[in-house]
Amino acid sequence: MATGTGSRRGRAKIMAPRKHGPEFSAEKTWSELARNIREIQDQNASNLSFEENHRFAYNMVLNKHGEMLYSGLKRLVAEDLETLATRNIVPHFPSGTKDPSVQSGEDDLLLASLKAVWTRHINNMVRLGQILKYMDRVYTQTAKVPATNDLGLQLFLKHIIRPPIKDHVLAAILNQIRHERNGYVIDRSTMKGCVDVYLSLEGDMHSTTIYKLDLEPAILKESESFYKREGEELLNSSTAPIFLQSVEQRLKAEEDRVHHYLSSHTKPHLLQILQDNLLSPHLGAVISKENSGLDAMLDNNKTDDLSRLYRLCVMVPQGLPYLKSALKESIVRRGKEINGGSTEDDFIDVEGDLESTDKKGKGKGKTRGPAPGIQPAITWVESVLGLKDKFDAVWEASFQKDREVESAINGAFASFINMNEKCSEFISLFIDDHLKRGLKGKNETEVDEILDKTITVFRFIAEKDVFERYYKGHLAKRLLHGRSVSDDAERGMLAKLKVECGIQFTQKMEGMFTDMRISSDTTRAYLDHVSKTTAPEIELGVIVMTSNAWPMNHSPSSCILPSVMSKATKSFEQFYFSRHSGRRLTWQYSLGNADVIVQFKARSHELNVSTFGLVVLLLFESLGDGDFLSYQDIKDATEIEEVELKRQLQSLACAKWKVLQKHPSGRDINSDDTFSFNDGFSCPMKKVKIGLISSKVENRAERKETRDRIDEERKHQMEACIVRVMKNRKHMTHNDLITEVTVQLTSKYHPEPLAIKKRIEQLIEREYLERCEDRKSYNYLA
Amino acid sequence: MADSDVDMVPTRQVGAGSGNDNQPVPKDSDWVRLQSTDGFCYIVPRKVANMSGTIRNMLDTTGGYAEAQSRTCEIRERGVILEKLVEYMSFKAHHESIGTKEEVPVKEMLDRIPPEIVLELLLAADYQEGV
C-alpha cells in the first residue's frame, strides 16, 4: 500500500492528510492510557476499545513521546507484578511443616500460584503488546530497548523470580521431585507449568534460560545426593535382582520425569547421575552379591535378571568389564569343580579292579554303558559340554550375543580346561567312546552334534599336540580292533579336526586310514594267493602299518610263536615280500587278536582272544586232563614280557570267563602260580570275547611316559622350527626369534621361552647357528 | 455501500483455513464489520480483515478487547479511505491465497487509487499496518 505514493497524476488534486489537532496532550493521553492499562491488568480488557488505546499509543509515539510511554508502561507492569507477588504468591510460602504430604500440598499451592501469576502476566503482556504494537515497531527499535513482550519477561524475572520467592519456588520444585521419587503422586502439570516459566526466562546476556542457570544445577545436585543415598540403601537392603530392577525402574522413572516436566536437555545429565551414583559404584558389589548375584542368577537360570544385568552393564563404561570378570570367575569356579570331580586320583588306585570288572562287563558285548575305566573322562567332557551349553544359552538369551562377553566366556573355558592336565586325553577318550559305542544309541545327526560340540571344547585346548597324540592312539586302537562303528563318523571327525588345525595335524591319521584300506586289499590278495597254493592252517588277516603314521611302539614284542602260527606269518611274509621288495615287516603281536574254537566238556565255544592269549592257550592244547603249567613254564615257553603275560593270564584265568584255572585262585597273578585248562567252562553263548584291552584313563606312570614322549617330540619340533625360521632369515635377534617361533608353534602348544632358549643353545652346539658378536642375535650356518 | 460488498464476492470464494489463523476458535470465514467515521460499513470475511496487523490484533480473541467481542471495528477513516483499504486487503488476501504462480497485478491495483486520497491513504496504511 505504501507504494501508492508512486502513482502521480499531474492534474488530480491531492488532499492534505488529516492534521493532528493542537488539542493533543501527551500527559492527558498517557493518563487515559495508563488508566486503561490498569484495567487491562485487572482483566477487564473486554470493556475497552482496542482502537482507542492503540490510537493513544500511536499518537504518543507519533508525537515523540515514546519514551514517556515506554517508561510509564515499565512502571505500571512492575507495579502490577509487585502487587501480584504480595497478593498471590507470598501467602503461599511454605509454613515449614515437617509432614511430607502437607509439605507437598503447600509446595503444590506455591507452584500453582506462581504458574497462575505467570499465565496472567503473559496474557497481559500479549494484550499490551497488541495495543502498543506501534510503539514496538517504531520506538523500541530505535531506542534500543526491549520490545513489550521481552520487557514483560525481564520485569517478571526482576520482580517475581527474586529472593525470597525464587528460593521458595526452587525448594518447592526440588521437594516435589523428591516427593515423587519417594513414590507419591504430585501434580505434574503444575510442575510442568513452573518449569516452563524457568525455561521461558533468560538469565544472562547469552540467552541462557534461568532453567539452565538455576534450576537444572539444583535438580542435578539434589538428584546426585538422593541417588547416592538410594544406591547405598538399596545395596544393603535388597538382593541383586531387586537392586537391578529398582535401578531400571529408576532410570525409566527419570526418563519419564524429564519427558513430562523437565527440559529434554536435562535427560543426559540426569541419566549420567543415575549411572554414576546408583549403578557404577555398586555394580561390582551387586554382581558378586552372595546368594543373589551373578552366580545365583546363573544357577537358577534367571534369564530376565541376567538380561537386565547385561542391559545395565553396557550402560556404564566399567559395567562390561565387571560382568566379564565375574563371568570368568564363575565359569572358572564351576570348571574347577568339574575338574575336581574327575581328577581325583582314587580311581587310579582301583584301576586293577576296574579292569577286571570291565572285562566281565564286556563279556556279552551288549553292555551299553561306557567302560568304567573311562567314566571320569566321559563325565568330565559331558559336564564341560553341559556348562558350555548353559553359558551359550545365557549368552544368547541374556547377553544379546555380545562379542566381548563371548570372548570372556571362551577365555574362561580355555583357562579352566587347560587347568586339567588330562583335558586332551579326556576329550580324545570321549570322542573314542562315542565313535565306538555312542553311535548305536543315537542317530547320525545327534552324534554329529555331539562331536561338533566336542570340537568347541577341543578349541580351548592349548596343547593340541598332546591331544593329537592321544587321539592317534585311540584311533589306532579303534582301527586295529575294528571297534569303530562308522567309517563315515570317523572321517567326519577327522575332517572337523582338519578344519580346526590344518592338514598337518591330520596327515598321519589319514595315513592310518590309508593303511587300513591297503591292508584289507592286501589281505584279500593274500587269501586269494594261499587258496591257490598251500594254505596254512590258520586263516590270517594282516594290517600293514606304515611305521611313522601309527603311534605304536616300534620295537618288536618278543614272543615265541607256536609252529602253526609262525608258519602262517612266514607264509604272509613270503607273499608280501614278493610284491614289495625292500620292505621290512615287524610283527606287532600285542595288537592282534584271534578267533579260536575250543572244545570244552559241555560244548565247543568260539573264543575271541588276543594274539598273546592264543599263544598261551595253545600251550594247553597238548596237555592231558588235570595237567598243570606253572607260571614259569608259560613264561619260558612264550617269552612274553612279564607285565604283558600277567595281563594275559589275568584275563584268561581271573576275569569273568575263566578259560584257565589258576591255582591257587585269586585275583592277582604271582610268579609261583600254576594253571590248568578249565574243562568245565560253560557259557550260554557260543561266541565269547575275552579280555579286550579297552581304552581307559592312563595312570600316573603312563601319563608321565606320554608326557615325556610329548616333551621329546616338542624338542624336535622347536628345533625344526628354529632352523626353519633361521634358514629363511639368516640373521635374527634373540627376541625376534623367540617371538617368531612362539607364533609358529602356538597352533599346537604354547612353548616356554626358556625351552626355546635351550633348543637354541643346543643348535649352537651342533653348529646350526652361531652367536653374533653383540651377544643378542644369531646367524644361520648353512 | 452494498456495492463494494459485491466487489468482495470473489474473495468470498477463497477457502477458509488457508490463511494464517492464529486463533483456532474464530474461523477465517467469519464475517466481521468494519465501520468508518462517516457511517459506512463493510462486512468482510475475517481472513480479509486479518490482512491488517492492527485490525487483526483488534479482533484477536485472546486479547479480548471490546472489538473482538462485538466483531465490529471502528476504523477512524473516511468511508472512501476505508473502502480502498478493504479493496486492497481483499486484493492481498486473494493473491496470497492462490500462491505466486501468476504474476500479481500490482500495477492495476495501483492504477485504481485516486491520487487525491493518496496521502491520507498512506497514513491510514501506516496506522493499519497493512504492508
Side-chain angles (χ1 to χ4, degrees), chain A residues 275-331:
Chain A
Q275 288 166 11
D276 289 349
N277 292 290
L278 194 55
L279 194 54
S280 305
H282 306 304
L283 204 51
V286 168
I287 288 176
S288 53
K289 218 171 193 354
E290 244 175 271
N291 299 328
S292 67
L294 181 69
D295 258 347
M297 293 183 202
L298 289 169
D299 281 339
N300 303 320
N301 283 326
K302 299 271 191 212
T303 314
D304 289 347
D305 289 338
L306 287 166
S307 315
R308 187 171 298 117
L309 178 64
Y310 174 76
R311 282 200 299 275
L312 292 174
C313 277
V314 288
M315 221 177 257
V316 290
Q318 61 271 63
L320 216 48
Y322 269 141
L323 180 65
K324 271 159 49 185
S325 72
L327 264 178
K328 255 187 194 159
E329 243 169 66
S330 170
I331 294 173

